[in-house]
Amino acid sequence: MINVLLFAHLQEEAGQDRLEIDEEGMRVDEFKQMLEDRYKFTQLDQVMVAINEEFAFNNDLINSGDTVALIPPVSGG
Amino acid sequence: MINVLLFAHLQEEAGQDRLEIDEEGMRVDEFKQMLEDRYKFTQLDQVMVAINEEFAFNNDLINSGDTVALIPPVSGG
Amino acid sequence: MKEELFEIVDHPIQLENLIKKVESRNAGAITTFIGTVREWTKGKRTVYLEYQAYKPMAVKMLATIGEEIQSKWPNTIVAITHRIGHLDISDVAVIIAVSSPHRKAAYEANEYAIERIKQIVPIWKKEHWEDGETWLGDQLENVPYHDGKPHIKDEKDD
Amino acid sequence: MKEELFEIVDHPIQLENLIKKVESRNAGAITTFIGTVREWTKGKRTVYLEYQAYKPMAVKMLATIGEEIQSKWPNTIVAITHRIGHLDISDVAVIIAVSSPHRKAAYEANEYAIERIKQIVPIWKKEHWEDGETWLGDQLENVPYHDGKPHIKDEKDD
């Protein structure tokens, strides 16, 4: 099970702030593509991914038990 | 009468914070030379002069009633 | 150092607290940056803002910025607090405090911190205007990251 | 604007007061510089400092710096307070606060202010070390002024 955290416009598009996804062993880019297909998220090309609170590369693998956060372009400060 | 204000090391060298000088019509550089001769001030070459709270040029004239401040290199901040 | 140097809070930020965190007998200079909510942006009027954070990761990233600064400007001390939630005009969203023996480093490190916050700290701002609302995207106009993540510096970069 | 933006005082400076002087609904950024008394300078230990000012002219020169900043960075608001008299280690000697709609100007104008203070404001620091005392000279290592006075900018320079 993958715990997915949503923020900003993604949270509003999903109508919730977290998802539980029953996939594993996917690469980050595959995982994003799967979410885009399933939830119709917009602007996902600009969204970064963090695995367990660390920014991840497109070819990093996502394992069961990971917390995956989708990080839209940040605008703090 | 010229009212002369002294600060920092010049004040300590003179043992007072102001002088009254009975000269007038001198240029700033002549005035400094006269003070150096009379009071043995040190490092006067690095000292700027303000006439009535405005920095003055070496060839500005000092008139009776002016307040002349000797401004050693500043070190505020 | 007892207090936390890097914080995400949901209440007003006290400037004096941040100053206290960075004070030192060897600091000759302390710079602070106070980011406030501005009313007008390019002719549009903001009514209020809402900030959201991925809190544990945001704190980690603030600490990462602190480490980057320590390695680039030795002998500085950095503290950063970012507020989240509902903020009105003139409310303080972020304060960065940097102390240093010398002023140049205090300015440079402080400006570096705010630039990095806008690159790597997972905090989002929702702008509520008179006529609508939006989550603001990347305000840096960066090109997309080639490898899918922003550059996080480590000591090897220096 | 009721309060004085440029002051020389002989009592502790309150940071919050300076912030209040520059706050504005159109400021998105406020930077402050806090100059404090450092204990160690190049291996020499300072016990305390004494600052002296030519007060009316110092206030005028601070205001001149404010005008220079207004013309170089429009829409900024600047406030500067310098303390004089006896200061102990960690005491605050000077605070500069700058507000601006955008952060870049707030940093640049603030740093400009402290550089100019060290050039044109008639304030002197007497350093009391463990083993003696001196009036500090020009810490900028400037060459002497060719025409006997420092360059005071006016709007024509810009």
Side-chain angles (χ1 to χ4, degrees), chain C residues 23-35:
Chain C
E23 269 174 355
S24 149
R25 290 175 72 84
N26 277 318
I30 299 173
T31 53
T32 69
F33 174 84
I34 305 164

Side-chain angles (χ1 to χ4, degrees), chain C residues 10-157:
Chain C
D10 53 12
H11 52 73
I13 310 172
Q14 298 303 320
L15 178 58
E16 291 293 343
N17 288 352
L18 273 102
I19 301 287
K20 283 201 194 82
K21 290 180 189 180
V22 302
E23 269 174 355
S24 149
R25 290 175 72 84
N26 277 318
I30 299 173
T31 53
T32 69
F33 174 84
I34 305 164
T36 57
V37 178
R38 189 178 54 218
E39 184 166 21
W40 294 92
T41 299
K42 294 179 185 159
K44 281 188 97 164
R45 185 179 182 184
T46 298
V47 183
Y48 68 93
L49 292 184
E50 226 180 305
Y51 280 96
Q52 189 181 77
Y54 178 16
K55 213 167 156 174
M57 183 171 167
V59 171
K60 262 190 175 175
M61 289 295 118
L62 291 177
T64 297
I65 293 170
E67 286 161 21
E68 290 174 1
I69 287 173
Q70 291 280 345
S71 96
K72 282 166 133 5
W73 294 277
N75 303 316
T76 51
I77 306 172
V78 188
I80 306 174
T81 301
H82 202 300
R83 182 175 172 190
I84 55 174
H86 175 111
L87 273 80
D88 291 312
I89 304 303
S90 291
D91 279 353
V92 173
V94 62
I95 298 184
I96 302 163
V98 177
S99 72
S100 163
H102 301 285
R103 68 184 182 280
K104 195 80 194 161
Y107 281 111
E108 287 178 356
N110 199 305
E111 190 165 5
Y112 178 85
I114 185 70
E115 298 300 332
R116 290 296 276 161
I117 287 171
K118 290 171 182 287
Q119 290 168 353
I120 66 165
V121 180
I123 297 178
W124 300 273
K125 174 156 73 175
K126 189 176 193 173
E127 192 98 37
H128 292 258
W129 287 299
E130 285 180 307
D131 58 353
E133 56 180 49
T134 351
W135 285 101
L136 284 195
D138 183 351
Q139 296 165 287
L140 297 167
E141 296 173 14
N142 283 336
V143 291
Y145 304 103
H146 288 300
D147 54 8
K149 75 173 216 176
H151 182 53
I152 309 287
K153 294 179 178 142
D154 60 31
E155 313 220 352
K156 279 166 285 176
D157 286 326

Side-chain angles (χ1 to χ4, degrees), chain A residues 43-56:
Chain A
Q43 299 172 295
L44 217 55
D45 55 320
Q46 291 170 37
V47 167
M48 295 183 285
V49 167
I51 303 177
N52 304 323
E53 301 173 11
E54 300 283 352
F55 283 109

Side-chain angles (χ1 to χ4, degrees), chain B residues 8 11-12 48 72 75 77, chain D residues 51-52 82 123-126 135:
Chain B
Q11 190 174 102
E12 294 182 354
M48 296 183 284
S75 51
Chain D
Y51 280 96
Q52 188 181 79
H82 202 300
I123 296 178
W124 300 272
K125 174 156 74 176
K126 188 175 193 174
W135 286 101

Side-chain angles (χ1 to χ4, degrees), chain A residues 11-40:
Chain A
Q11 190 175 103
E12 294 182 354
E13 288 177 8
Q16 52 196 316
D17 63 2
R18 62 181 62 217
L19 307 170
E20 294 194 339
I21 303 285
D22 207 3
E23 304 272 2
E24 61 188 88
M26 290 178 98
R27 285 159 43 117
V28 162
D29 51 1
E30 294 165 343
F31 192 79
K32 278 171 71 174
Q33 188 60 54
M34 176 273 296
L35 289 176
E36 185 168 1
D37 295 343
R38 206 180 284 185
Y39 295 92
K40 308 299 172 207

